Amino acid sequence: MGNSRAYPVFRTTDATVAYRQAERLRALLAECEDEAELYAELRTVEDVRRMVAVLPEATFDYLDMRTGPNGEDVWFDLDVTTASAAALEAHLPLDVLTDVLTGTVEERFVAALGQGIAEICWSGLWPERPEVDQYASAKYDGVQIVFHGERAQLGPWTEHHTVFVHGGSNRGALIRAQELAARIGSEVLGEPQLGW
């Protein structure tokens, strides 16, 4: 049980730079899962159109749960691939959460982002180094980019994009985070946060 510790290791206002740094870290994983998780808030019709072009098979939904006049849940059921701009506008904001094959659409996903909070998560295994108490954990290890945010658990909107490395809570986790940050010319930017 429990969550990973997420160490912020890079922050910038340039989403492409954040993605490139996260990709460098992902390449350092001893093993990377076959699927990456993508999430984005879509605030405009243009945001939706760009994201549909990248993720045509993904499920789009209301950003916040909606209820009908009798308190019943209202589900989003509009076909975003064919809906008119006016129809989409009436349903905004939306979000999308999907898994994709690692290394297939992440770069295009970043290019399609608008001003909403978004993230990419890659799970895997960091190399083991028992001599410095660094052990791999399939449950905890990985890399995350939060676009327009500084919290691994998706908090308030900011203009910054933050890259996190995730790991367990053993003594070697901070050392690993420091070493990984140094590999991309950075440093750990604060206390560890609650991760996935």
Side-chain angles (χ1 to χ4, degrees):
M1 297 306 282
N3 293 80
S4 67
R5 288 189 180 189
Y7 291 88
V9 296
F10 187 78
R11 189 169 287 130
T12 180
T13 57
D14 187 322
T16 302
V17 171
Y19 173 73
R20 295 278 178 248
Q21 294 291 55
E23 272 285 298
R24 290 177 63 194
L25 291 168
R26 182 176 71 90
L28 298 174
L29 287 165
E31 294 180 30
C32 186
E33 293 290 323
D34 292 339
E35 292 188 333
E37 180 180 285
L38 309 180
Y39 170 79
E41 296 176 356
L42 309 168
R43 301 183 179 278
T44 69
V45 171
E46 293 78 22
D47 290 350
V48 175
R49 296 275 193 242
R50 286 191 311 272
M51 204 53 70
V52 167
V54 176
L55 304 171
E57 303 299 321
T59 301
F60 292 74
D61 205 349
Y62 291 119
L63 178 61
D64 298 309
M65 193 63 191
R66 297 186 183 184
T67 56
N70 297 321
E72 72 278 9
D73 291 339
V74 176
W75 303 101
F76 181 74
D77 60 0
L78 197 63
D79 182 351
V80 293
T81 62
T82 60
S84 69
L88 283 173
E89 184 75 39
H91 291 277
L92 294 174
L94 299 175
D95 68 8
V96 61
L97 172 65
T98 192
D99 293 331
V100 298
L101 288 176
T102 297
T104 58
V105 300
E106 294 97 315
E107 189 169 1
R108 291 187 306 132
F109 173 82
V110 173
L113 293 175
Q115 290 298 306
I117 294 172
E119 73 175 337
I120 300 174
C121 299
W122 292 286
S123 296
L125 295 173
W126 294 117
E128 291 204 350
R129 294 176 54 209
E131 68 279 8
V132 289
D133 203 25
Q134 292 179 4
Y135 299 94
S137 170
K139 181 177 178 181
Y140 298 129
D141 294 354
V143 179
Q144 174 189 25
I145 317 167
V146 176
F147 300 95
H148 293 297
E150 298 179 357
R151 305 293 309 164
Q153 289 284 324
L154 302 187
W157 187 95
T158 73
E159 64 183 51
H160 294 97
H161 315 295
T162 306
V163 177
F164 295 89
V165 293
H166 287 253
S169 60
N170 62 347
R171 293 179 300 142
L174 174 59
I175 294 168
R176 175 185 285 131
Q178 291 167 333
E179 292 170 349
L180 290 168
R183 295 283 296 268
I184 61 168
S186 190
E187 61 187 5
V188 173
L189 303 176
E191 295 296 315
Q193 300 177 23
L194 185 66
W196 50 54

